[in-house]
Amino acid sequence: MNLMVFWEKLVKGIQINFINENRYMMVVEGLGTTLLISFFAILLGAALGALAFFMRRSRFRIIRGIGYLYVDIIRGTPMVTQLFIIYFIVFASVHISPVLVAIFGFGFNSGAYVSEIIRAGVQSIDRGQTEAGRSLGLSSRQTMTHIIAPQAIKNILPALCNEFVVLIKETAVAGYLSVQDLTRAADTIRSRTYDPYIPLLTAAVIYYIIIKFLTLAIARLERSLRKSER
């Protein structure tokens, strides 16, 4: 009997929250926005991370200092605060889509952590590899490109993938910029139906499915890398 009552309440809740007024489309569009922000923020974060890494290895003190300052400030301040600064200060006088601001903000934040991951990966390679390359007559750039980078990328690939998984979850705060992402869509439905359970739990389940799929893909990648090492 209790199971029947629960089932009836669940069906009624789904009807009220998602079927009425086609509110399920808010979730679909919010999911699309979340994936859009995540995808381009990942690309931007990878590019900025690589750039920051090479800046920190520059011979020029100013460039090296800028790279260190970027990583230090980004890692030392909250993500939400950075979004607010970018949206309300940096782009205050420019009419720009909040989605673009979110992409830039999350990518800018991720770049600092990607830079640290790359640095750790390069430092994990034995110094003798660099000395061997230089003794063969290779320049510093050639040694990095042909000897160090291929080994470092293999070592840091799982960590990079995990950083991107974390980035996807962090995009849930994009709603602070009035971005209608998945979390904001669920909260909007909650405010209209006064039912916090079904819309918010649905958003949590969708996030979980996405993250679980990516986690399994990363685990499979790690197994493939271990097999190739053997």
Side-chain angles (χ1 to χ4, degrees):
M1 184 63 181
N2 291 334
L3 183 60
M4 289 297 296
V5 172
F6 171 78
W7 179 255
E8 290 176 358
K9 288 183 177 180
L10 179 62
V11 172
K12 183 179 179 181
I14 294 174
Q15 174 74 32
I16 294 173
N17 286 280
F18 300 126
I19 306 302
N20 291 355
E21 301 179 7
N22 292 328
R23 292 194 184 102
Y24 71 92
M25 287 303 301
M26 297 174 64
V27 176
V28 173
E29 293 172 0
L31 175 60
T33 301
T34 293
L35 295 178
L36 178 70
I37 292 173
S38 301
F39 177 75
F40 286 105
I42 285 170
L43 295 181
L44 180 59
L48 288 176
L51 177 62
F53 168 74
F54 286 111
M55 289 178 67
R56 294 170 68 182
R57 292 174 59 89
S58 173
R59 295 176 300 171
F60 303 101
R61 182 177 299 178
I62 295 179
I63 297 177
R64 193 165 61 246
I66 293 173
Y68 277 105
L69 189 63
Y70 161 65
V71 173
D72 189 55
I73 291 176
I74 294 300
R75 295 181 68 206
T77 54
M79 176 75 252
V80 176
T81 305
Q82 295 169 20
L83 282 177
F84 283 164
I85 291 173
I86 293 172
Y87 188 58
F88 294 110
I89 297 178
V90 176
F91 293 112
S93 59
V94 180
H95 181 70
I96 186 172
S97 168
V99 174
L100 291 178
V101 175
I103 291 172
F104 181 77
F106 289 114
F108 199 70
N109 177 270
S110 180
Y113 294 93
V114 171
S115 175
E116 282 295 285
I117 292 172
I118 296 175
R119 180 188 63 81
V122 170
Q123 289 183 347
S124 69
I125 306 302
D126 189 87
R127 184 177 293 273
Q129 301 271 0
T130 301
E131 295 174 353
R134 298 306 300 272
S135 66
L136 291 174
L138 298 177
S139 66
S140 177
R141 180 177 299 178
Q142 290 173 327
T143 302
M144 173 62 68
T145 302
H146 299 292
I147 297 178
I148 305 301
Q151 299 178 72
I153 290 174
K154 189 175 181 179
N155 290 342
I156 68 175
L157 201 54
L160 281 177
C161 292
N162 284 313
E163 163 60 24
F164 297 149
V165 167
V166 172
L167 175 61
I168 292 174
K169 291 189 290 185
E170 286 181 342
T171 59
V173 301
Y176 283 108
L177 304 182
S178 299
V179 174
Q180 195 72 7
D181 68 325
L182 180 58
T183 301
R184 183 63 179 268
D187 190 55
T188 301
I189 294 174
R190 176 206 58 79
S191 66
R192 295 182 182 180
T193 62
Y194 301 101
D195 178 11
Y197 297 102
I198 293 181
L200 295 179
L201 289 176
T202 298
V205 169
I206 293 174
Y207 275 115
Y208 176 79
I209 292 173
I210 295 173
I211 299 305
K212 189 64 176 179
F213 174 79
L214 292 176
T215 302
L216 292 174
I218 293 171
R220 185 172 182 178
L221 174 63
E222 290 177 347
R223 288 195 297 270
S224 299
L225 291 176
R226 286 196 295 267
K227 287 181 180 178
S228 66
E229 287 177 356
R230 292 196 294 268

PDB file of all heavy atoms in Angstrom, residues 8 31 36 38 43 55 57 59 83-84 93 115 153 174 178 184 203 211 220:
ATOM      1  N   GLU A   8       2.198   6.766  -6.764  1.00  0.00           N
ATOM      2  CA  GLU A   8       1.222   7.774  -7.187  1.00  0.00           C
ATOM      3  C   GLU A   8       1.760   9.187  -6.966  1.00  0.00           C
ATOM      4  O   GLU A   8       1.591  10.070  -7.819  1.00  0.00           O
ATOM      5  CB  GLU A   8      -0.092   7.575  -6.424  1.00  0.00           C
ATOM      6  CG  GLU A   8      -0.862   6.317  -6.829  1.00  0.00           C
ATOM      7  CD  GLU A   8      -2.104   6.114  -5.985  1.00  0.00           C
ATOM      8  OE1 GLU A   8      -2.328   6.947  -5.065  1.00  0.00           O
ATOM      9  OE2 GLU A   8      -2.828   5.124  -6.214  1.00  0.00           O
ATOM     10  N   LEU A  31      20.609  21.310 -19.570  1.00  0.00           N
ATOM     11  CA  LEU A  31      21.655  20.308 -19.768  1.00  0.00           C
ATOM     12  C   LEU A  31      22.516  20.675 -20.967  1.00  0.00           C
ATOM     13  O   LEU A  31      23.750  20.559 -20.918  1.00  0.00           O
ATOM     14  CB  LEU A  31      21.024  18.932 -19.968  1.00  0.00           C
ATOM     15  CG  LEU A  31      21.980  17.788 -20.305  1.00  0.00           C
ATOM     16  CD1 LEU A  31      23.009  17.598 -19.205  1.00  0.00           C
ATOM     17  CD2 LEU A  31      21.212  16.492 -20.538  1.00  0.00           C
ATOM     18  N   LEU A  36      27.615  22.636 -23.079  1.00  0.00           N
ATOM     19  CA  LEU A  36      28.273  23.631 -23.933  1.00  0.00           C
ATOM     20  C   LEU A  36      29.355  24.379 -23.166  1.00  0.00           C
ATOM     21  O   LEU A  36      30.497  24.527 -23.638  1.00  0.00           O
ATOM     22  CB  LEU A  36      27.229  24.610 -24.472  1.00  0.00           C
ATOM     23  CG  LEU A  36      27.751  25.750 -25.354  1.00  0.00           C
ATOM     24  CD1 LEU A  36      28.237  25.205 -26.689  1.00  0.00           C
ATOM     25  CD2 LEU A  36      26.673  26.810 -25.577  1.00  0.00           C
ATOM     26  N   SER A  38      30.850  23.449 -20.411  1.00  0.00           N
ATOM     27  CA  SER A  38      31.901  22.519 -19.999  1.00  0.00           C
ATOM     28  C   SER A  38      32.865  22.228 -21.143  1.00  0.00           C
ATOM     29  O   SER A  38      34.087  22.248 -20.956  1.00  0.00           O
ATOM     30  CB  SER A  38      31.279  21.211 -19.505  1.00  0.00           C
ATOM     31  OG  SER A  38      30.412  21.436 -18.413  1.00  0.00           O
ATOM     32  N   LEU A  43      38.387  23.158 -23.331  1.00  0.00           N
ATOM     33  CA  LEU A  43      39.343  23.518 -24.382  1.00  0.00           C
ATOM     34  C   LEU A  43      40.146  24.753 -24.004  1.00  0.00           C
ATOM     35  O   LEU A  43      41.378  24.787 -24.169  1.00  0.00           O
ATOM     36  CB  LEU A  43      38.592  23.767 -25.702  1.00  0.00           C
ATOM     37  CG  LEU A  43      37.868  22.573 -26.327  1.00  0.00           C
ATOM     38  CD1 LEU A  43      37.202  22.986 -27.631  1.00  0.00           C
ATOM     39  CD2 LEU A  43      38.834  21.420 -26.574  1.00  0.00           C
ATOM     40  N   MET A  55      55.001  29.834 -20.010  1.00  0.00           N
ATOM     41  CA  MET A  55      55.367  31.162 -19.503  1.00  0.00           C
ATOM     42  C   MET A  55      56.215  31.038 -18.245  1.00  0.00           C
ATOM     43  O   MET A  55      57.188  31.787 -18.064  1.00  0.00           O
ATOM     44  CB  MET A  55      54.105  31.979 -19.208  1.00  0.00           C
ATOM     45  CG  MET A  55      53.350  32.436 -20.436  1.00  0.00           C
ATOM     46  SD  MET A  55      51.831  33.336 -20.031  1.00  0.00           S
ATOM     47  CE  MET A  55      52.498  34.813 -19.259  1.00  0.00           C
ATOM     48  N   ARG A  57      58.257  28.794 -17.585  1.00  0.00           N
ATOM     49  CA  ARG A  57      59.572  28.264 -17.944  1.00  0.00           C
ATOM     50  C   ARG A  57      60.360  29.239 -18.820  1.00  0.00           C
ATOM     51  O   ARG A  57      61.452  28.904 -19.294  1.00  0.00           O
ATOM     52  CB  ARG A  57      59.419  26.936 -18.684  1.00  0.00           C
ATOM     53  CG  ARG A  57      58.890  25.808 -17.811  1.00  0.00           C
ATOM     54  CD  ARG A  57      58.613  24.565 -18.645  1.00  0.00           C
ATOM     55  NE  ARG A  57      59.789  24.088 -19.342  1.00  0.00           N
ATOM     56  CZ  ARG A  57      60.670  23.213 -18.848  1.00  0.00           C
ATOM     57  NH1 ARG A  57      60.488  22.738 -17.614  1.00  0.00           N
ATOM     58  NH2 ARG A  57      61.708  22.813 -19.537  1.00  0.00           N
ATOM     59  N   ARG A  59      62.631  32.345 -20.236  1.00  0.00           N
ATOM     60  CA  ARG A  59      63.890  32.942 -19.808  1.00  0.00           C
ATOM     61  C   ARG A  59      63.691  34.358 -19.303  1.00  0.00           C
ATOM     62  O   ARG A  59      64.541  34.886 -18.575  1.00  0.00           O
ATOM     63  CB  ARG A  59      64.891  32.960 -20.969  1.00  0.00           C
ATOM     64  CG  ARG A  59      65.332  31.583 -21.447  1.00  0.00           C
ATOM     65  CD  ARG A  59      66.233  31.721 -22.649  1.00  0.00           C
ATOM     66  NE  ARG A  59      65.546  32.400 -23.749  1.00  0.00           N
ATOM     67  CZ  ARG A  59      66.151  32.803 -24.864  1.00  0.00           C
ATOM     68  NH1 ARG A  59      67.454  32.622 -25.005  1.00  0.00           N
ATOM     69  NH2 ARG A  59      65.456  33.390 -25.825  1.00  0.00           N
ATOM     70  N   LEU A  83      34.125  34.557 -11.051  1.00  0.00           N
ATOM     71  CA  LEU A  83      33.036  34.765 -12.005  1.00  0.00           C
ATOM     72  C   LEU A  83      32.423  36.148 -11.841  1.00  0.00           C
ATOM     73  O   LEU A  83      32.140  36.837 -12.831  1.00  0.00           O
ATOM     74  CB  LEU A  83      31.953  33.696 -11.822  1.00  0.00           C
ATOM     75  CG  LEU A  83      32.230  32.306 -12.404  1.00  0.00           C
ATOM     76  CD1 LEU A  83      31.080  31.370 -12.061  1.00  0.00           C
ATOM     77  CD2 LEU A  83      32.419  32.369 -13.910  1.00  0.00           C
ATOM     78  N   PHE A  84      32.195  36.546 -10.591  1.00  0.00           N
ATOM     79  CA  PHE A  84      31.614  37.857 -10.333  1.00  0.00           C
ATOM     80  C   PHE A  84      32.528  38.972 -10.836  1.00  0.00           C
ATOM     81  O   PHE A  84      32.067  39.965 -11.418  1.00  0.00           O
ATOM     82  CB  PHE A  84      31.353  38.043  -8.839  1.00  0.00           C
ATOM     83  CG  PHE A  84      30.133  37.314  -8.347  1.00  0.00           C
ATOM     84  CD1 PHE A  84      29.941  37.107  -6.989  1.00  0.00           C
ATOM     85  CD2 PHE A  84      29.182  36.834  -9.227  1.00  0.00           C
ATOM     86  CE1 PHE A  84      28.824  36.436  -6.524  1.00  0.00           C
ATOM     87  CE2 PHE A  84      28.063  36.155  -8.785  1.00  0.00           C
ATOM     88  CZ  PHE A  84      27.879  35.963  -7.425  1.00  0.00           C
ATOM     89  N   SER A  93      31.138  46.942 -18.865  1.00  0.00           N
ATOM     90  CA  SER A  93      30.740  47.935 -19.875  1.00  0.00           C
ATOM     91  C   SER A  93      30.516  47.319 -21.245  1.00  0.00           C
ATOM     92  O   SER A  93      30.323  48.030 -22.228  1.00  0.00           O
ATOM     93  CB  SER A  93      31.814  49.020 -19.982  1.00  0.00           C
ATOM     94  OG  SER A  93      33.069  48.452 -20.341  1.00  0.00           O
ATOM     95  N   SER A 115      47.888  23.958 -15.613  1.00  0.00           N
ATOM     96  CA  SER A 115      49.299  24.333 -15.622  1.00  0.00           C
ATOM     97  C   SER A 115      50.076  23.581 -14.552  1.00  0.00           C
ATOM     98  O   SER A 115      51.184  23.082 -14.794  1.00  0.00           O
ATOM     99  CB  SER A 115      49.438  25.846 -15.401  1.00  0.00           C
ATOM    100  OG  SER A 115      50.797  26.222 -15.284  1.00  0.00           O
ATOM    101  N   ILE A 153      52.855  13.664 -21.116  1.00  0.00           N
ATOM    102  CA  ILE A 153      51.441  13.625 -21.486  1.00  0.00           C
ATOM    103  C   ILE A 153      50.816  12.306 -21.072  1.00  0.00           C
ATOM    104  O   ILE A 153      49.687  12.260 -20.568  1.00  0.00           O
ATOM    105  CB  ILE A 153      51.291  13.851 -23.008  1.00  0.00           C
ATOM    106  CG1 ILE A 153      51.646  15.293 -23.365  1.00  0.00           C
ATOM    107  CG2 ILE A 153      49.868  13.530 -23.463  1.00  0.00           C
ATOM    108  CD1 ILE A 153      51.660  15.578 -24.845  1.00  0.00           C
ATOM    109  N   ALA A 174      27.180  28.385 -12.363  1.00  0.00           N
ATOM    110  CA  ALA A 174      26.990  29.351 -13.449  1.00  0.00           C
ATOM    111  C   ALA A 174      25.676  30.099 -13.308  1.00  0.00           C
ATOM    112  O   ALA A 174      25.510  31.188 -13.863  1.00  0.00           O
ATOM    113  CB  ALA A 174      27.050  28.647 -14.806  1.00  0.00           C
ATOM    114  N   SER A 178      23.031  34.261 -13.978  1.00  0.00           N
ATOM    115  CA  SER A 178      21.744  34.155 -14.681  1.00  0.00           C
ATOM    116  C   SER A 178      21.829  33.259 -15.903  1.00  0.00           C
ATOM    117  O   SER A 178      21.068  33.426 -16.860  1.00  0.00           O
ATOM    118  CB  SER A 178      21.243  35.558 -15.091  1.00  0.00           C
ATOM    119  OG  SER A 178      21.041  36.369 -13.952  1.00  0.00           O
ATOM    120  N   ARG A 184      20.317  25.653 -12.527  1.00  0.00           N
ATOM    121  CA  ARG A 184      19.407  26.799 -12.513  1.00  0.00           C
ATOM    122  C   ARG A 184      18.028  26.402 -13.030  1.00  0.00           C
ATOM    123  O   ARG A 184      16.995  26.871 -12.522  1.00  0.00           O
ATOM    124  CB  ARG A 184      19.987  27.932 -13.376  1.00  0.00           C
ATOM    125  CG  ARG A 184      19.161  29.224 -13.376  1.00  0.00           C
ATOM    126  CD  ARG A 184      19.096  29.827 -11.979  1.00  0.00           C
ATOM    127  NE  ARG A 184      18.333  31.065 -11.984  1.00  0.00           N
ATOM    128  CZ  ARG A 184      18.852  32.269 -12.149  1.00  0.00           C
ATOM    129  NH1 ARG A 184      20.172  32.392 -12.325  1.00  0.00           N
ATOM    130  NH2 ARG A 184      18.104  33.350 -12.129  1.00  0.00           N
ATOM    131  N   ALA A 203      18.168  16.790 -11.273  1.00  0.00           N
ATOM    132  CA  ALA A 203      19.416  17.432 -11.711  1.00  0.00           C
ATOM    133  C   ALA A 203      20.626  16.686 -11.148  1.00  0.00           C
ATOM    134  O   ALA A 203      21.614  16.461 -11.858  1.00  0.00           O
ATOM    135  CB  ALA A 203      19.437  18.889 -11.268  1.00  0.00           C
ATOM    136  N   ILE A 211      28.953  12.269 -14.866  1.00  0.00           N
ATOM    137  CA  ILE A 211      30.241  12.086 -14.199  1.00  0.00           C
ATOM    138  C   ILE A 211      30.616  10.604 -14.149  1.00  0.00           C
ATOM    139  O   ILE A 211      31.781  10.235 -14.329  1.00  0.00           O
ATOM    140  CB  ILE A 211      30.201  12.678 -12.782  1.00  0.00           C
ATOM    141  CG1 ILE A 211      29.926  14.185 -12.850  1.00  0.00           C
ATOM    142  CG2 ILE A 211      31.506  12.411 -12.057  1.00  0.00           C
ATOM    143  CD1 ILE A 211      30.891  14.969 -13.706  1.00  0.00           C
ATOM    144  N   ARG A 220      38.964   3.283 -17.974  1.00  0.00           N
ATOM    145  CA  ARG A 220      39.332   2.459 -19.129  1.00  0.00           C
ATOM    146  C   ARG A 220      40.592   2.988 -19.796  1.00  0.00           C
ATOM    147  O   ARG A 220      41.459   2.209 -20.225  1.00  0.00           O
ATOM    148  CB  ARG A 220      38.174   2.439 -20.135  1.00  0.00           C
ATOM    149  CG  ARG A 220      38.400   1.513 -21.309  1.00  0.00           C
ATOM    150  CD  ARG A 220      37.148   1.392 -22.153  1.00  0.00           C
ATOM    151  NE  ARG A 220      37.340   0.468 -23.255  1.00  0.00           N
ATOM    152  CZ  ARG A 220      36.406   0.139 -24.137  1.00  0.00           C
ATOM    153  NH1 ARG A 220      35.184   0.655 -24.008  1.00  0.00           N
ATOM    154  NH2 ARG A 220      36.665  -0.708 -25.114  1.00  0.00           N
TER     155      ARG A 220
END
